[in-house]
Amino acid sequence: MDDADLLGRFIDASPSPFHACATAAATLAEAGWVEVAERDPWPSEPGRYLVRRSGSLAAWSTEAATGPADPFRIVGAHTDSPNLRLKQHHDRRFDNVAVLALEPYGGPLLTTWFDRDLGIAGRLGLRDGSERLVHVDEPVVRVPNLAIHLDRDAANAPDRQRHLDAIWAVAGADEPFLTWLGRREGFDPADVLGFELMTTDTLPSVRVGARGELLSAPRLDNQATCFAGVRALIDAAPADGLRPVLVLFDHEEVGSTSERGAQSDLLATVIERTVLAAGGGRDEVHRAVAGSVCASGDMAHATHPNHADRHEPLHRVALGGGPVLKVNQNLRYATDTRGTVAFARACEQAEVPLQRYVHRADLPCGSTIGPMSAARTGITTVDVGAAQLAMHSARELMAAADVASYVAALTAFLAPA
Ligand code: CO
């Protein structure tokens, strides 16, 4: 089992941001990380720790010999991916068919969610104040396409309000969806006062290509970086005078403005409380921040063989060509000279090639957690990634070889020689 297979496993176990954090936390716990609660006093003993804030997670290590004002090395990523989510009132009947009302989260490639065997995953909030994660990893839900004969335009360009509801039962299925889910998952639907539930592809991640060179999987954007970041934090040998941090944010696909998104105080408070717990004061917090560097990892667009004209001709990005540095003059990416040097040196140390990406100047460029996290914390930030095709499709595609080189580069970034 190579790194790409392990990434596929990580993704298959992580159908929602909450599950992505649970998978990351379990992997880190196996490697000795201890989970602490934000409501509890911050640990002052050197060690390996993590916190979770719903669909976000931060993990850090203070094992190396460090003073309170020593800098942090940070890898950041996002846990959420575009998909179709359940509306609050989601039960509808049409003749003898039970229909589930869905709406898009972020910017999915809508047509890729049609005619796909979907399960359900997410988080329930119960009356007693507890929460539970659910994951129905079986094909229960399906959004059927319209036949091409009935409306060629609607079939190829579905409407976000009218065309995304799913079918999940036929004839005699009078029960609400949550009642069915509760019977199956062992909770009383009357106790469910809140939920964040989403559809998820039930087809496992799979290697494709003549020699399995490619990985076909949902949520590569951005669970590929979540996986690589977890591996990097575990693999990074503690470097004296430096504290490695991994931060995984929810809500990147919808703007990052929330209590747990990249515009939140999650990373800032982890840094502040870690410095204070090490005996530092406010000045040491700011000294630590001033010396820190963050690699904001998110997926990058490989040059598409059918659409080479959509790419900047001097900045083609190859599948299997190694990690990608992302630069944008309008600061859709946070990368500057200082961050570039830090990541380029990490790639040299890891002995992997570095590809440099610039978006076409005549196309709008997507963004990442990088600029927002940089503005929130004041930390030098470099936007990096691994190459993929079909970003925001229900099934995305990357080169298997890029998983290992991405892990190696982020590992070297967290533990510079
Ligand atoms: Co992304």
Side-chain angles (χ1 to χ4, degrees):
M1 183 163 292
D2 65 12
D3 286 337
D5 293 329
L6 292 171
L7 169 57
R9 253 205 214 171
F10 183 100
I11 288 171
D12 294 344
S14 308
S16 78
F18 314 106
H19 290 84
C21 288
T23 306
T27 307
L28 289 165
E30 271 176 36
W33 264 261
V34 175
E35 183 158 6
V36 296
E38 287 192 277
R39 283 179 59 80
D40 289 341
W42 216 245
S44 54
E45 291 297 308
R48 303 171 164 192
Y49 302 103
L50 71 94
V51 291
R52 269 188 277 181
R53 195 184 278 187
S54 295
S56 297
L57 175 148
W60 65 100
S61 163
T62 51
E63 290 168 299
T66 51
D70 280 342
F72 294 82
R73 266 298 166 112
I74 304 149
V75 167
H78 67 88
T79 57
D80 59 322
S81 303
N83 55 21
L84 303 181
R85 298 193 172 187
L86 268 69
K87 292 182 177 175
Q88 291 297 302
H89 296 299
H90 45 252
D91 288 308
R92 175 162 78 85
R93 289 191 62 80
F94 181 82
D95 293 340
N96 66 332
V97 173
V99 175
L100 193 64
L102 303 175
E103 58 188 338
Y105 172 87
L109 280 168
L110 289 178
T111 56
T112 66
W113 288 86
F114 286 72
D115 300 343
R116 191 168 290 281
D117 303 321
L118 302 173
I120 295 286
R123 172 171 74 160
L124 305 175
L126 306 180
R127 177 172 285 104
D128 65 5
S130 66
E131 292 178 356
R132 58 182 291 171
L133 302 191
V134 292
H135 182 194
V136 178
D137 195 16
E138 286 168 26
V140 179
V141 171
R142 180 118 171 178
V143 187
N145 252 310
L146 181 68
I148 193 77
H149 320 76
L150 299 182
D151 185 340
R152 213 163 275 273
D153 294 336
N156 283 309
D159 182 273
R160 287 165 71 93
Q161 166 62 24
R162 294 181 295 136
H163 298 152
L164 300 182
D165 289 355
I167 287 172
W168 69 279
V170 178
D174 290 323
E175 63 182 355
F177 185 77
L178 282 183
T179 304
W180 174 85
L181 189 63
R183 193 152 39 73
R184 189 195 146 93
E185 299 287 308
F187 62 83
D188 182 348
D191 287 338
V192 177
L193 300 188
F195 60 84
E196 290 154 281
L197 290 171
M198 57 205 75
T199 55
T200 175
D201 188 7
T202 54
L203 191 67
S205 302
V206 64
R207 297 288 281 269
V208 301
R211 290 172 297 278
E213 303 94 324
L214 298 156
L215 177 65
S216 157
R219 302 181 293 281
L220 288 173
D221 174 16
N222 189 17
Q223 291 188 7
T225 310
C226 296
F227 168 83
V230 168
R231 278 283 306 275
L233 185 64
I234 292 171
D235 291 353
D240 282 350
L242 208 57
R243 289 170 281 196
V245 178
L246 172 69
V247 62
L248 308 178
F249 292 113
D250 199 355
H251 292 159
E252 190 272 344
E253 299 289 356
V254 291
S256 296
T257 307
S258 71
E259 100 292 358
R260 60 186 187 264
Q263 298 203 50
S264 78
D265 66 351
L266 177 61
L267 177 58
T269 55
V270 164
I271 286 173
E272 179 180 4
R273 295 178 77 175
T274 301
V275 170
L276 297 180
R282 292 295 306 165
D283 201 52
E284 282 72 26
V285 171
H286 293 292
R287 289 168 63 196
V289 163
S292 297
V293 188
C294 174
S296 155
D298 204 343
M299 299 305 274
H301 301 297
T303 305
H304 196 302
N306 300 349
H307 301 273
D309 60 327
R310 307 305 285 178
H311 298 265
E312 211 301 305
L314 294 177
H315 298 84
R316 282 165 71 145
V317 168
L319 289 171
V324 181
L325 177 87
K326 304 195 280 188
V327 179
N328 183 262
Q329 301 300 342
N330 298 308
L331 286 183
R332 305 294 288 164
Y333 306 134
T335 308
D336 72 350
T337 302
R338 284 187 184 174
T340 297
V341 170
F343 192 69
R345 285 180 59 174
C347 288
E348 284 181 4
Q349 185 180 322
E351 298 179 346
V352 297
L354 175 61
Q355 311 190 74
R356 295 184 185 232
Y357 180 78
V358 168
H359 207 65
R360 280 189 70 96
D362 53 3
L363 288 179
C365 183
S367 192
T368 68
I369 63 160
M372 283 172 277
S373 170
R376 179 68 182 80
T377 59
I379 291 174
T380 296
T381 299
V382 54
D383 268 295
V384 305
Q388 72 159 94
L389 292 170
M391 192 177 287
H392 291 195
S393 171
R395 298 290 292 197
E396 299 174 328
L397 194 66
M398 72 182 293
D402 282 330
V403 182
S405 59
Y406 198 26
V407 169
L410 294 179
T411 304
F413 182 82
L414 289 180

